[in-house]
Amino acid sequence: VTATLAGCSASNTTTVTVNNLPIALAGNNSPVCDGDLLALSTNEEMASYQWSGPNGFNNTTQNPTFIADINAVGTYTVTITDNNNCTATSNTVVTVNATPTVSINNETICDSKSALLIATVNTSGTFVWSDMQTGASISVTPSATTTYTVSFTGNNACTATAEGIVSVNENP
């Protein structure tokens, strides 16, 4: 820069540094099931992070984790700030699938008789019983009181288990 006043001039130079903006890239491990660990992530180490999201979610760590519930569904935003105080923002959408609810009836039978156990569930999926039978209902003939477990996997990949007891009475 040169300035002239009344025939006198003066010059000075300065250096202007233009810093590159940081690049924010937000991500997550969804879809997850209700009750599973949800992990948010961003791509690089920065001076600071500010996450925000549904239901007043706020966090200042690079890669926050928390137990997800169905209310965690939505868009999460991270603003990263580098050492030059330049910022960038990125969004990631989280999906949380509902965990199924499964229950089994209990039965009381006489020795040598059969019992029908029926698993009731609030969604569609597949059943595997502790005796390796499949399907929503099984017929069993235990010789003593036995606990049966069903493992259910919903079409959304979320799982649940339940137990049913078949009590066996001796024949008179």
Side-chain angles (χ1 to χ4, degrees), residues 1-164:
V1 174
T2 302
T4 304
L5 181 62
C8 297
S9 66
S11 296
N12 197 0
T13 61
T14 188
T15 302
V16 176
T17 302
V18 177
N19 296 308
N20 291 327
L21 289 174
I23 298 171
L25 181 60
N28 68 79
N29 66 327
S30 77
V32 296
C33 299
D34 185 14
D36 287 350
L37 186 69
L38 178 64
L40 302 175
S41 60
T42 189
N43 54 323
E44 56 185 285
E45 300 257 343
M46 289 288 153
S48 70
Y49 309 89
Q50 181 59 58
W51 286 91
S52 62
N55 299 307
F57 177 82
N58 281 293
N59 193 288
T60 58
T61 60
Q62 179 181 2
N63 300 313
T65 60
F66 57 95
I67 301 301
D69 65 26
I70 206 70
N71 297 316
V73 170
T75 301
Y76 289 77
T77 301
V78 63
T79 300
I80 61 174
T81 304
D82 67 12
N83 291 327
N84 298 311
N85 209 29
C86 297
T87 63
T89 300
S90 181
N91 297 321
T92 186
V93 177
V94 166
T95 301
V96 179
N97 293 321
T99 300
T101 302
V102 63
S103 62
I104 306 172
N105 60 306
N106 295 315
E107 291 289 331
T108 300
I109 60 171
C110 292
D111 192 21
S112 302
K113 299 295 180 184
S114 295
L116 181 64
L117 294 177
I118 301 170
T120 305
V121 69
N122 62 344
T123 189
S124 57
T126 59
F127 301 85
V128 178
W129 295 79
S130 52
D131 65 355
M132 301 313 294
Q133 293 188 62
T134 59
S137 62
I138 61 171
S139 180
V140 294
T141 312
S143 58
T145 297
T146 304
T147 300
Y148 292 86
T149 303
V150 67
S151 295
F152 176 81
T153 302
N155 290 341
N156 64 5
C158 297
T159 62
T161 60
E163 292 183 343

